Amino acid sequence: MSDLNRTVRELLEGSLPVLWVSGEISNFKRYDSGHCYFSLKDKNAQVRCVMFRNRAGLLDFQPREGMSVEIRAVVTLYEARGDYQLTVEAMRPAGLGALFEAFEKLKAKLAAEGLFDAARKQPLPTFPRAIGIVTSPKAAALRDVLTTLGRRMPALPVILYPCAVQGASAAAEIANAINKAAERKEVDTLIVCRGGGSLEDLWSFNEEVVARAIAACPIPVVSGVGHETDFTISDFVADVRAATPTAAAELASPNRAEWLARLAEQQRHLQRAFERQLQLRMQKLDNLARRLRHPGDTLTRQRERLAMLSVRLNAAPSRQLDRKVAALAQLRLRLAHASPALDTARHRLNQAASRLAVAGTRAHDQRAARLAQLRGQLQALNPNAVLSRGYALVETPKGQVIQHAAQLHAGDRIRVRFADEAVDAAVVGKPDGQQTLF
């Protein structure tokens, strides 16, 4: 008997392909193991069916007694009892075969027209000024979208374009809502959404009128219809397809917390860059300050050098005369021990003494003239002499000389030195691009 039943099973499974069978569910039972057992019948016959847990878990609807369904199954034999049965691999509500055929036909038609092309897709704005939602006011999807938008960007305005999302008139209402949003131009991102459901429940979003309304909409459209595994024509036509209504809200709205974090990070980078530049400028300013010398310091050094030269100039003739006198004394001593031609030698000595005196006087006069010339140059460099001719010296309150008007700004305190005294003043204006002092 076992061999017979095994042979019959192998014959059934090997000779018949996987079949689609339609009928009405009868005696449906789901056991704790997850396996489903039922009979599929029509008005003339019935057959036992089994759907194991791994296949039953993929169903997106709950089979129930009396429901008309279509199953994809393998014809087999349960050897233990010799019962002929169908092992079910997939199940769908009856009539979905025509819907799938219509779905594929419309999908191919719109694809051929280029409505699915990536080139015509519009990018979503990074910071939308307002977001529109096309859905039913009673839909759970609306609550999910509003909750997500409120969490991500609380201040973002949201406008609802209400419509039915299921039923005979739903497709026309959805298309009218999309067209109304395009006409009003109140938003710059549009979410078309509804929650999950069967293929029949979502069929409004597979209608051609809805697809063409989305394609013609100048506003970027995010399609968030059904669950992650659901696909509709609206998903293919829309600029962006989201797996769920919640995901659609996340794609359409910026995340306030993320942008605040990015802004804070950019602020920190900017602060560090500013501090580095400030430190560089401070170091450069210190270097320039060390190189900058006050004119008074320069005059003081020149005055000291002039005094030293004057002392050396005054002392030079005396030292030279002393050397000549010492040399003359040596000559006299040598002369006393020389030949007795004293008159001639004395005469020559007197001439040398005269020349020496003249040379000393000339050298002294030359040094005195040079000293007078240096005194005149020093007097010309004296700021007080310049000030006595009507000029003035502008300084900061700390005594630093201001050389250029660009160093001053309106409201700066300054000190103006004249020949007789100094006065305090302030910068009050800058006519024709130049600073004016009063």
Side-chain angles (χ1 to χ4, degrees), residues 300-428:
T300 300
R301 287 192 296 272
Q302 291 181 350
R303 188 180 293 109
E304 292 174 351
R305 185 169 181 273
L306 183 61
M308 180 183 64
L309 291 175
S310 178
V311 170
R312 291 174 59 187
L313 182 62
N314 292 329
S318 299
R319 289 196 298 272
Q320 186 174 8
L321 183 59
D322 291 341
R323 288 195 296 271
K324 298 298 183 180
V325 170
L328 182 59
Q330 291 180 354
L331 290 173
R332 285 177 176 174
L333 182 61
R334 291 171 60 189
L335 182 61
H337 297 84
S339 61
L342 295 179
D343 292 335
T344 303
R346 185 178 292 107
H347 178 68
R348 292 176 59 190
L349 179 61
N350 290 334
Q351 288 180 342
S354 299
R355 288 196 300 272
L356 179 61
V358 171
T361 302
R362 184 182 299 110
H364 181 274
D365 293 340
Q366 290 176 350
R367 299 297 190 281
R370 177 60 178 166
L371 178 62
Q373 182 182 4
L374 292 174
R375 284 177 177 172
Q377 292 177 355
L378 179 62
Q379 185 63 25
L381 295 174
N382 189 349
N384 293 328
V386 176
L387 297 180
S388 64
R389 294 198 298 271
Y391 292 91
L393 184 65
V394 181
E395 302 175 332
T396 65
K398 295 183 179 181
Q400 296 178 344
V401 175
I402 297 173
Q403 298 178 338
H404 305 286
Q407 296 176 245
L408 298 175
H409 303 85
D412 288 352
R413 303 295 304 177
I414 58 174
R415 170 164 290 185
V416 182
R417 291 180 52 191
F418 299 95
D420 52 351
E421 62 179 76
V423 297
D424 291 331
V427 178
V428 299

Side-chain angles (χ1 to χ4, degrees), residues 251-281:
L251 290 173
S253 62
N255 190 328
R256 180 175 180 270
E258 291 180 1
W259 280 102
L260 287 177
R262 292 176 60 179
L263 181 61
E265 182 64 20
Q266 293 296 326
Q267 185 178 7
R268 287 191 292 270
H269 285 314
L270 182 61
Q271 181 66 26
R272 287 194 291 268
F274 176 78
E275 290 176 354
R276 287 194 297 269
Q277 290 297 321
L278 182 60
Q279 292 170 358
L280 291 175
R281 297 297 188 275

Side-chain angles (χ1 to χ4, degrees), residues 2-3 33 36 67 106 149 172 174 185 281 333-334 341 374 425:
S2 298
D3 293 339
S33 62
C36 300
M67 177 182 287
L106 179 59
L149 293 177
I174 295 171
K185 300 179 181 180
R281 297 297 188 275
L333 182 61
R334 291 171 60 189
L374 292 174

